[in-house]
């Protein structure tokens, strides 16, 4: 988009910035009025109790939308999507119900979020971009295959093979990297979405085509004309924030805030930018908490923004599939290969059913110091480093002002008396958090680094299965999403989840019902610990913790099974098959309506 901006636009930006400042000031001021006093008596509940009640209502409302027949599922589809279901929707429904899937149309929201902009791209262009991408799976005549031997591709191939007989011809381009790839500028997405909106309608039943077009055999370059196709440019800048934020609206805090380049100092942690998704100190809108457009301070608090392990980004919108992404990446989400392979180091199934009562009342975290390329001049901005440091009693006891890379508890979290009297001692008793490797940048990735040695000492790893000896399991992003999340959800422990990454399953999980959400700054960690492990709450809060652990486990057993992943991917690929078909605007499944005619 061209510079310089028109004066009116400039003015609008200034006004928005001003308004933002005022709003934040007001929020901060009013937020102090309600103290997060704890423990509260009588009618006053702890803020977490209120959030849990709201979660119960949200979950019940979600479940109440489940449909029991193909016709009802198709009707729910048309209502929510504004289009006819894709061809072969009946086959999808049969597959889903035969595999015991719960059918709530909202569960597939992510698919529509990811694919909608492609309705604004020419189908021939989508097909070409998929065909040209080096790593792909292709489906012809109901058979999936690949030329790539990369282990992720092989796992994805295995996943797609379980549904290949139900798929039309297509090429599926796959992202081989940990990190997501596409950040199409917000302004361009607006154009695609406007074009897409013009195609959103339920076509006259008599004109609807209920099949997919075949593709030429693999390797036979299509003769199609591609108009003014632009070559795809890949950017490799080490500083990812300036790339990521172009996906944000022009008047968003992320686009307006200054870009930080000096990470060689304690970061600013307490921030008014968290207030939009927090209520009384705790995450109240989990989805919003993952949207960095509202939170420009995160540019100095997350490894991915500071210096990812690898960057290969593009502004082009191409049909590229991957396992996780940031809120504003345009990649199309598949279940991660880690989840499909059910590797023990990520799932730890063996220990997953330890009874609650025989677990330690404590929080455990072990992991590698990933997040990106940590260096002497930037490690303070890495999320895992922040989390490990704030759980180190000896660092807390040093009373550094400011602490090297975290913030002490906000006074409004009225912590248990024991924590108020002796925070380091209390943390030492309730948590066991440490790195297993430091992966420093000098001299290759070494297991220990001289620059972080004063703050961290790597310890022995704890196998996944043994982590479940602890009731609370914080889950912190690494280079991208944390692959343990599914294992944690399936277990009898409580995942305490802080993430900026979106995954295929997000629409089917409810924060405070199936897991405990945590702000990406971790300022609420002390309050969460205080609520669940504060001694004066032993009994009640312990039962609340157990309920979340078991609800998450039970729900994961209903909607996060491999069968559910296959059902998701089948729906996704039928939609993908339609959006890249030249006849997409008249394609659909309308058998239910034909019967009514
Ligand atoms: C969470 O925030 C998003 C984005 O602002 C909003 O659309 C959604 O309604 C919010 N959800 C709740 C439960 O408030
Ligand atoms: C760490 O070691 C590297 C390489 O030997 C050296 O250049 C650097 O100055 C050292 N840093 C500290 C903080 O000791
Ligand atoms: C905790 O902090 C101290 C410095 O106060 C450091 O020496 C120690 O290695 C840290 N422990 C862990 C497990 O990282």
């Amino acid at each position: 988009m061209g510079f310089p901006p028109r004066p009116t636009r400039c003015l609008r930006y200034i006004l928005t910035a001003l308004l933002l400042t005022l709003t934040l000031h007001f929020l901060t001021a009013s937020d102090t009025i309600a103290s997060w006093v704890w423990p509260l008596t009588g009618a006053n509940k702890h803020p977490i109790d209120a959030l849990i009640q709201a979660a119960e209502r949200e979950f019940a409302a979600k479940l109440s939308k489940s449909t029991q027949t193909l016709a009802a599922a198709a009707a729910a589809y048309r209502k929510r999507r504004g289009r006819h279901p894709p061809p072969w929707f009946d086959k999808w429904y049969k597959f889903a119900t035969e595999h015991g899937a719960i059918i709530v149309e909202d569960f597939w929201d992510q698919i529509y979020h990811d694919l909608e902009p492609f309705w604004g791209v020419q189908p021939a262009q989508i097909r070409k971009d998929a065909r040209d991408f080096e790593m792909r799976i292709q489906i012809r005549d109901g058979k999936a295959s690949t030329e790539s031997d990369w282990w992720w591709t092989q796992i994805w191939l295995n996943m797609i093979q379980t549904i290949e007989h139900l798929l039309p011809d297509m090429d599926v381009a796959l992202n081989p990297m940990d990190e997501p790839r596409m950040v199409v500028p917000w302004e361009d997405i607006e154009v695609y979405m406007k074009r897409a909106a013009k195609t959103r309608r339920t076509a006259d039943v008599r004109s609807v085509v209920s099949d997919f077009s075949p593709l030429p055999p693999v390797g036979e370059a299509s003769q199609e004309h591609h108009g003014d196709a632009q070559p795809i440019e890949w950017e490799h800048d080490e500083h990812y924030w300036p790339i990521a934020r172009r996906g944000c609206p022009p008047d968003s805090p992320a686009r307006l805030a200054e870009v930080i380049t000096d990470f060689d100092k304690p970061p600013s942690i307490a921030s008014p930018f968290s207030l939009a998704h927090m209520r009384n100190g705790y995450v109240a809108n989990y989805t919003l908490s993952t949207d960095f457009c509202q939170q420009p301070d995160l540019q100095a608090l997350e490894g991915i923004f500071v210096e990812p392990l690898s960057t290969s980004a593009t502004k082009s919108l191409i049909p590229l599939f991957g396992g996780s992404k940031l809120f504003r990446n345009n990649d199309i989400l598949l279940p991660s290969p880690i989840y499909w392979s059910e590797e023990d180091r990520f799932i730890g199934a063996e220990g997953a059913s330890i009874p609650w009562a025989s677990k330690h009342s404590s929080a455990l975290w072990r992991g590698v110091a990933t997040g990106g390329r940590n260096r002497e001049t930037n490690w303070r901005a890495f999320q895992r480093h922040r989390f490990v440091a704030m759980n180190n009693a000896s660092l807390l006891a040093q009373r550094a002002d400011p602490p090297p890379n975290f913030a002490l508890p906000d006074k409004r979290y009225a912590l248990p008396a024991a924590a108020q009297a002796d925070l380091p001692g209390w943390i030492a008793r309730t948590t066991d958090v440490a790195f297993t490797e430091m992966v420093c940048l000098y001299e290759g990735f070494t297991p220990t680094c001289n620059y972080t040695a004063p703050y961290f000492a790597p310890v022995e790893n704890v196998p996944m299965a043994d982590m479940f000896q602890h009731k609370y399991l914080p889950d912190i992003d690494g280079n991208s999403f944390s692959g343990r999340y599914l294992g944690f959800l399936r277990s009898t422990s409580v995942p305490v989840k802080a993430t900026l990454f979106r995954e295929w399953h997000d629409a089917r999980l409810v924060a405070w019902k199936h897991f405990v959400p945590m702000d990406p700054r971790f300022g609420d960690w002390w309050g969460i610990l205080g609520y669940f492990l504060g001694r004066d709450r032993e009994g009640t809060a312990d039962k609340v913790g157990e309920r979340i652990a078991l609800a998450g486990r039970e729900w994961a057993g209903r909607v996060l099974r491999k069968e559910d992943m296959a059902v998701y991917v089948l729906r996704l690929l039928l939609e993908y098959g339609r959006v890249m078909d030249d006849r997409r605007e008249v394609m659909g499944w309308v058998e239910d309506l034909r019967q009514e005619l």
Side-chain angles (χ1 to χ4, degrees):
M1 291 284 134
F3 256 87
R6 295 189 307 269
T8 48
R9 218 183 185 195
C10 226
L11 192 65
R12 193 161 63 89
Y13 284 18
I14 292 166
L15 285 175
T16 316
L18 196 66
L19 192 68
L20 193 78
T21 316
L22 289 174
T23 314
L24 288 172
H25 178 76
F26 172 73
L27 278 174
T28 320
S30 67
D31 208 52
T32 47
I33 297 167
S35 68
W36 314 329
V37 179
W38 180 96
L40 297 176
T41 50
N44 293 336
K45 283 187 301 231
H46 188 282
I48 289 183
D49 293 325
L51 290 165
I52 288 174
Q53 276 184 6
E56 294 289 350
R57 286 194 297 272
E58 186 188 336
F59 181 61
K62 235 182 233 268
L63 264 193
S64 73
K65 291 196 211 166
S66 78
T67 53
Q68 314 300 333
T69 65
L70 172 57
Y77 182 106
R78 289 189 188 95
K79 180 155 179 260
R80 196 160 180 86
R81 313 295 170 204
R83 294 191 164 98
H84 289 303
W88 304 1
F89 186 72
D90 52 341
K91 295 188 201 179
W92 171 82
Y93 184 82
K94 185 161 178 283
F95 181 84
T97 48
E98 279 175 1
H99 289 86
I102 298 176
I103 314 282
V104 172
E105 185 53 36
D106 311 25
F107 285 3
W108 293 281
D109 281 356
Q110 186 70 44
I111 293 174
Y112 300 89
H113 175 87
D114 295 350
L115 288 183
E116 190 64 15
F118 289 93
W119 284 87
V121 180
Q122 289 298 327
Q125 183 68 48
I126 301 176
R127 295 196 296 274
K128 177 185 179 342
D129 288 337
R131 196 168 57 231
D132 286 353
F133 200 76
E134 70 271 22
M135 199 169 110
R136 29 172 227 289
I137 287 172
Q138 49 256 328
I139 294 142
R140 296 291 184 281
D141 303 322
K143 287 271 171 255
S145 63
T146 184
E147 274 98 59
S148 155
D149 53 11
W150 174 233
W151 65 289
W152 279 18
T153 318
Q154 289 295 322
I155 297 169
W156 270 323
L157 177 67
N158 178 278
M159 178 169 83
I160 289 176
Q161 279 170 338
T162 63
I163 52 170
E164 60 184 1
H165 56 292
L166 301 170
L167 290 173
D169 289 357
M170 60 178 66
D171 296 318
V172 180
L174 297 164
N175 177 13
M177 289 171 40
D178 268 358
E179 295 85 356
R181 307 292 291 274
M182 278 180 282
V183 187
V184 182
W186 185 90
E187 290 83 345
D188 295 357
I189 286 292
E190 278 293 283
V191 173
Y192 291 125
M193 292 298 274
K194 283 205 180 99
R195 280 190 217 148
K198 288 197 188 119
T199 69
R200 199 180 311 127
R201 63 199 157 77
T202 45
D204 182 346
V205 171
R206 277 159 300 213
S207 66
V208 168
V209 179
S210 51
D211 233 320
F212 295 89
S213 308
L215 289 182
V218 175
E220 260 178 46
S222 160
Q223 302 305 309
E224 290 174 340
H225 176 66
H226 303 298
D228 54 351
Q230 304 276 319
I232 293 153
E233 279 178 38
W234 297 100
E235 307 148 89
H236 304 284
D237 313 32
E238 284 166 358
H239 191 186
Y240 192 63
W241 173 257
I243 293 177
R245 71 175 189 155
R246 72 179 177 227
C248 295
D251 55 359
S252 65
R255 288 276 292 269
L256 297 171
E258 220 174 294
V259 173
I260 298 173
T261 52
D262 178 8
F263 306 104
D264 194 8
K265 57 182 177 207
S268 158
I269 309 252
S271 141
F273 294 111
S274 65
L275 292 174
H277 62 256
M278 310 275 279
R279 199 182 311 139
N280 296 330
Y282 298 93
V283 173
N285 188 331
Y286 177 67
T287 310
L288 197 57
S289 79
T290 65
D291 186 359
F292 59 85
C293 295
Q294 312 303 322
Q295 310 174 66
D297 58 318
L298 294 183
Q299 66 175 299
L301 297 175
E302 301 279 337
I304 181 119
F305 292 139
V306 174
E307 191 177 343
L309 204 54
S310 39
T311 312
S312 177
T314 181
K315 290 179 182 168
S316 301
L317 183 64
I318 58 173
L320 185 54
F321 292 72
S324 74
K325 63 172 175 178
L326 297 170
F327 203 95
R328 301 291 169 158
N329 285 112
N330 307 98
D331 306 40
I332 304 167
L333 287 180
L334 286 170
S336 154
I338 284 172
Y339 293 158
W340 184 261
S341 70
E342 294 187 325
E343 243 188 279
D344 207 49
R345 72 189 160 114
F346 293 114
I347 299 285
E350 208 182 307
S353 50
I354 298 174
W356 181 261
S358 50
K359 290 176 197 270
H360 304 295
S361 285
S362 53
L364 175 117
W365 188 88
R366 283 289 179 286
V368 177
T370 51
R373 294 172 183 267
N374 79 74
R375 301 173 187 273
E376 188 164 359
T377 50
N378 71 12
W379 65 271
R380 287 179 179 78
F382 280 58
Q383 67 276 10
R384 289 187 165 187
H385 289 75
R386 294 192 289 110
F387 189 73
V388 173
M390 70 191 276
N391 285 287
N392 179 328
S394 139
L395 276 178
L396 288 171
Q398 285 177 6
R399 295 174 175 278
D401 184 21
N405 62 343
F406 58 91
L408 290 167
D410 184 311
K411 291 279 180 292
R412 284 170 296 176
Y413 291 105
L415 297 175
Q420 290 190 29
D422 173 19
L423 185 66
W426 182 69
I427 283 294
R429 287 193 298 280
T430 50
T431 73
D432 178 0
V433 173
F435 281 127
T436 57
E437 274 178 60
M438 299 309 300
V439 287
C440 309
L441 208 61
Y442 64 84
E443 294 162 9
F445 294 104
T446 52
T448 57
C449 339
N450 58 2
Y451 53 85
T452 43
Y455 312 95
F456 308 99
V459 303
E460 273 290 294
N461 193 21
V462 174
M464 264 295 267
D466 294 342
M467 292 188 180
F468 302 125
Q469 304 277 357
H470 300 261
K471 288 180 178 170
Y472 299 94
L473 299 175
D475 195 30
I476 314 290
D477 291 338
N479 293 331
S480 64
F481 78 109
S482 157
R484 298 174 204 162
Y485 190 32
L486 180 60
F488 284 1
L489 284 163
R490 284 182 181 170
S491 81
T492 47
S493 294
V494 178
V496 181
K497 182 73 173 167
T499 188
L500 289 186
F501 285 88
R502 308 291 302 164
E503 296 186 64
W504 74 281
H505 56 220
D506 288 343
R508 46 188 73 193
L509 293 170
V510 176
W512 296 110
K513 168 75 184 170
H514 304 120
F515 65 96
V516 168
M518 178 161 62
D519 180 60
R521 295 161 195 77
F522 315 137
D524 46 351
W525 172 238
W526 321 97
I528 290 169
L529 269 185
Y531 176 89
F532 287 106
L533 292 173
R535 291 177 70 206
D536 9 9
R537 300 265 313 181
E538 201 78 71
T540 333
D542 186 66
K543 286 217 163 47
V544 175
E546 180 179 22
R547 219 170 59 224
I548 296 174
L550 298 185
R553 176 178 169 80
E554 201 256 342
W555 191 234
R558 306 281 303 281
V559 303
L560 301 183
R561 305 161 306 154
K562 283 178 78 167
E563 291 88 335
D564 298 302
M565 298 179 204
V567 169
Y568 183 94
V569 175
L570 180 54
R571 169 78 84 95
L572 169 65
L573 293 183
L574 290 178
E575 295 290 1
Y576 173 59
R578 172 166 64 174
V579 78
M580 58 152 195
D581 196 305
D582 291 328
R583 302 169 305 162
R584 65 189 179 188
E585 289 187 43
V586 291
M587 287 165 70
W589 183 84
V590 290
E591 282 317 303
D592 54 334
L593 303 182
R594 286 217 167 102
Q595 277 157 23
E596 281 171 20
L597 279 183

